[in-house]
Amino acid sequence: MDGARKAAAALRRDESGLTLVELLIASTLGLVVVGAALAMFLGGVRSEPRTATKVAAIQDARVTLDRVTRELRQGLEVEVASPSQLAIVTYVKAASCGGAAASTSIPCRVTYSCVDDTCSRFVAQPDGSAPGPTTQVVSGLTTPSVFTYLPDATDPTYVGVDFVVASGEDDPVSLGDGVALRNFGEGEA
């Protein structure tokens, strides 16, 4: 038995543990690391709504830019041309101008009107009568002047569209495109 006691005493001496000071330092360092990770996580969670709003505004501007340029490419006539408003006679897939969507395209007057930081769209008969409901298509713009015309607004052959979307503290995001009016005048008798 004496040998067993000596072996147990030898094992106890070889087992080295941590002192109280070492445990306190390790715990403090662990808390600092966990606190830093938590702060980063909370920062990301707090900024997510702003980021989501910014991304949604940019996506709305992209979709509207695509729609405007598509309607311009199919356009027959520019009715109103100013920096903040564009009215064109173009083909729209609808059963009636301002009505429900359909599989066939009919000529209608489409008007984009930008005021303050938003742009809206409505569809009417080619002569401008019987307008349908107005739909807000873009918000968060830094300026309502989004349309440019070459050579000028009275007889344009090219229409440029430039949406500048505010993005919080960051620089504004600019989305632009332009269209040469290929079908211009084909709708006139």
Side-chain angles (χ1 to χ4, degrees):
M1 280 258 191
D2 195 30
R5 285 188 198 161
K6 286 183 183 179
L11 279 175
R12 280 192 295 264
R13 280 190 303 262
D14 287 344
E15 291 180 12
S16 58
L18 297 176
T19 64
L20 182 58
V21 172
E22 291 171 331
L23 280 174
L24 288 175
I25 291 173
S27 297
T28 303
L29 288 175
L31 286 174
V32 168
V33 169
V34 169
L38 184 62
M40 288 176 44
F41 174 74
L42 290 176
V45 168
R46 286 187 190 121
S47 70
E48 195 279 331
R50 277 181 304 189
T51 303
T53 301
K54 180 171 48 170
V55 167
I58 292 170
Q59 181 62 22
D60 287 345
R62 287 183 59 204
V63 168
T64 300
L65 182 64
D66 289 343
R67 184 178 210 172
V68 171
T69 56
R70 182 180 63 248
E71 289 175 343
L72 281 167
R73 284 186 186 96
Q74 298 171 349
L76 303 172
E77 186 176 358
V78 175
E79 297 284 327
V80 177
S82 75
S84 61
Q85 188 174 28
L86 171 68
I88 57 172
V89 175
T90 187
Y91 288 98
V92 176
K93 285 190 173 190
S96 65
C97 294
S103 60
T104 59
S105 296
I106 59 171
C108 296
R109 182 175 179 170
V110 177
T111 303
Y112 290 92
S113 179
C114 302
V115 178
D116 296 328
D117 67 341
T118 61
C119 286
S120 300
R121 176 185 184 270
F122 69 89
V123 179
Q125 295 295 323
D127 62 2
S129 63
T134 300
T135 306
Q136 180 179 318
V137 290
V138 178
S139 63
L141 298 175
T142 61
T143 177
S145 298
V146 298
F147 303 108
T148 55
Y149 307 93
L150 292 176
D152 55 38
T154 57
D155 191 23
T157 58
Y158 178 87
V159 178
V161 184
D162 189 29
F163 293 123
V164 182
V165 180
S167 60
E169 302 85 34
D170 302 332
D171 291 331
V173 175
S174 179
L175 303 167
D177 202 352
V179 174
L181 302 174
R182 300 182 300 211
N183 301 326
F184 186 72
E186 289 183 16
E188 300 171 0

